[in-house]
Amino acid sequence: MSGLRAAGGVAKKSAKKAAGGFSGIEFHKSKGQHILKNPLVVQSIVDKAGVKSTDVVLEIGPGTGNLTMKLLERCKKVIAVELDPRMVLELTRRVQGTPYQNQLQIIHGDVMKVALPYFDICVANIPYQISSPLTFKLLSHRPCFRAAVIMYQHEFAMRLVAKAGDPSYSRLAVNTQLLARVHHLLKVGRNNFRPPPKVDSSVVRIEPRNPPPPVNLLEWDGLVRICFGRKNKTLGALFRQGNTLALLEQNYAVAQALHRAADGGEVDLVAAVNRMAMDAEAQLAAAAAAGGGGSDDEMEEGGGEDEEVAAAGGGSARKRRGKASEGFKEQVLEVLERSGLLERRASKMSQDDFLGLLATFNQAGIHFV
C-alpha cells in the first residue's frame, strides 16, 4: 500500500510539474502566467536594467518572485503589483523572515486599474495581452521615471523598436518612439519559462523623453492614425478620401479655438497617451470578441476609409459622412505637395517627416483634434 501511495505521490508531482506548478501553485496560461525560471536570464535582466541601491523599483506581475528577489538584492525598495491572490501569498511567504521583508511593498490589484506610485525604474515580465495599453500607461506616468525594462512577446518587441522601412514599422512604433527611446536588449526563448508560452520573448528598454516633445500630441495622434490607416498607400491617396477630408474640414472651424486652448504640455501628453492606451484596450476587446485571441498587433493599420475617419476625429464614421469643398481639398493636397510628402508612404516616413508634416498642416490652419 505504501508503495502505491508513493507511486501516486510521484504521479501527482509529475502532473503538477507538467502543468507548470510551483510550491503547489498551478499557473494559468489564459492569465499570461509564465514564470521566468532560468536564473541566468533573470540575472541578465537585472544587470541590464542598471538598478541602483537608491532606486524604488516597480515590478508588474511578480508571480512567485524569482525576479523580485534579485531586484531586492540591488535596490532600496520593490513595489510589486500582482492581481492573483495566490501569487501575493507566495511572494509574502518568500520574503518573510528575510532581510528583504521591509523592502517589499505588494499592491494587490489590476495594474491597468490601480494608480501607480512613484518609482525610479520599472522591471517586469508582463502578461503579453496588456502589452500596448500598459506601455502607454507607463509613458503617461508622472513624475517621469528613468527607464522601464520589460519582457514582451518577441514580435511585439520588434514592432516597438522598428524603424521606418522595416516590415514591422507601425503606428505603435511611431507613437512609442516619439515619447521614448526604445532599445532591444535580449531575446529569451520560450523554454526559459514555466509553463513555456507558444512564442519567444524579448526584453526592451524604454527611456521616456523628459521633457516630452514640444508637440500637441492629440493632434500628432490624429495625423498618424490617418497616415497608418493604410501605411503602404501614398499620403496623396489617403488624404483624397472623401470622408477624411470632410471630417478635417468640419474640424477646421473649431480647431483654432481648441488649438489656442491647448498648451502643448503635460495635459496634452497625458490625454494623448491615455487615448492611445484606451484604443489599444478597445481593439484587444474587439479582437477577442471576434475570436482573434487578443493579438498584440493592436496599433497596426486599420481596415478602411471608415476606420480612417473615425480614427482622425474619434467617433462613428457613419455619422461623419459628408463631402469636403474642392477648395479645402486643394488646400490639403497643396500642404502635402509643399512638404514634399505627397507621394510618400507612412511605412517609409521617419519621426521628423511626421513632425514636419504636422507643423506644415498647422501653419495652414489645418488641425487634427
Side-chain angles (χ1 to χ4, degrees), residues 131-183:
S131 294
S132 188
L134 177 59
T135 299
F136 288 108
K137 176 169 182 172
L138 290 174
L139 288 173
S140 69
H141 182 74
R142 290 299 178 270
C144 198
F145 54 93
R146 187 170 77 249
V149 176
I150 301 178
M151 180 92 70
Y152 293 109
Q153 179 179 332
H154 177 69
E155 290 184 1
F156 183 88
M158 293 301 97
R159 294 186 190 110
L160 276 182
V161 303
K163 302 299 182 184
D166 291 348
S168 297
Y169 192 56
S170 67
R171 188 162 63 95
L172 173 65
V174 172
N175 282 332
T176 304
Q177 292 173 33
L178 179 75
L179 301 171
R181 299 174 184 86
V182 291
H183 308 281

Side-chain angles (χ1 to χ4, degrees), residues 25-246:
I25 298 175
E26 182 180 350
F27 302 139
H28 301 300
K29 292 184 178 181
S30 61
K31 296 179 181 178
Q33 291 179 342
H34 299 280
I35 307 302
L36 186 58
K37 66 178 183 178
N38 188 331
L40 295 178
V41 176
V42 172
Q43 189 64 56
S44 179
I45 291 172
V46 175
D47 292 341
K48 290 179 181 296
V51 178
K52 301 176 183 178
S53 60
T54 55
D55 280 342
V56 174
V57 178
L58 175 71
E59 186 184 7
I60 299 162
T64 56
N66 291 345
L67 181 58
T68 314
M69 299 306 294
K70 288 295 182 182
L71 290 171
L72 287 168
E73 294 175 5
R74 293 281 189 94
C75 68
K76 177 182 177 182
K77 180 181 181 180
V78 171
I79 301 171
V81 183
E82 176 58 64
L83 180 60
D84 192 333
R86 303 171 306 152
M87 302 298 179
V88 171
L89 182 59
E90 177 62 31
L91 194 54
T92 302
R93 287 174 175 169
R94 193 161 180 179
V95 297
Q96 195 169 17
T98 72
Y100 307 120
Q101 185 171 346
N102 295 328
Q103 291 175 233
L104 176 65
Q105 175 188 346
I106 302 175
I107 298 176
H108 181 198
D110 185 340
V111 69
M112 295 309 303
K113 297 178 181 178
V114 303
L116 299 177
Y118 170 86
F119 61 94
D120 298 297
I121 188 168
C122 174
V123 184
N125 171 25
I126 65 172
Y128 294 152
Q129 58 264 39
I130 64 169
S131 294
S132 188
L134 177 59
T135 299
F136 288 108
K137 176 169 182 172
L138 290 174
L139 288 173
S140 69
H141 182 74
R142 290 299 178 270
C144 198
F145 54 93
R146 187 170 77 249
V149 176
I150 301 178
M151 180 92 70
Y152 293 109
Q153 179 179 332
H154 177 69
E155 290 184 1
F156 183 88
M158 293 301 97
R159 294 186 190 110
L160 276 182
V161 303
K163 302 299 182 184
D166 291 348
S168 297
Y169 192 56
S170 67
R171 188 162 63 95
L172 173 65
V174 172
N175 282 332
T176 304
Q177 292 173 33
L178 179 75
L179 301 171
R181 299 174 184 86
V182 291
H183 308 281
H184 182 263
L185 297 182
L186 71 153
K187 186 175 180 180
V188 182
R190 64 196 74 183
N191 291 328
N192 290 287
F193 298 86
R194 183 189 300 121
K198 295 180 179 180
V199 295
D200 291 330
S201 304
S202 277
V203 180
V204 173
R205 183 180 181 89
I206 300 173
E207 299 175 358
R209 300 185 191 276
N210 189 23
V215 59
N216 185 316
L217 291 171
L218 291 173
E219 289 213 53
W220 164 272
D221 188 47
L223 170 65
V224 171
R225 288 196 214 191
I226 294 176
C227 294
F228 277 95
R230 283 287 187 272
K231 72 176 183 179
N232 290 314
K233 276 190 175 182
T234 66
L235 296 191
L238 289 174
F239 280 91
R240 284 187 177 94
Q241 298 277 7
N243 285 344
T244 300
L245 285 167

Side-chain angles (χ1 to χ4, degrees), residues 249-271:
E249 191 168 29
Q250 288 175 26
N251 285 348
Y252 189 80
V254 297
Q256 292 296 332
L258 290 173
H259 189 62
R260 285 193 295 269
D263 60 8
E266 196 81 3
V267 174
D268 277 347
L269 173 65
V270 174

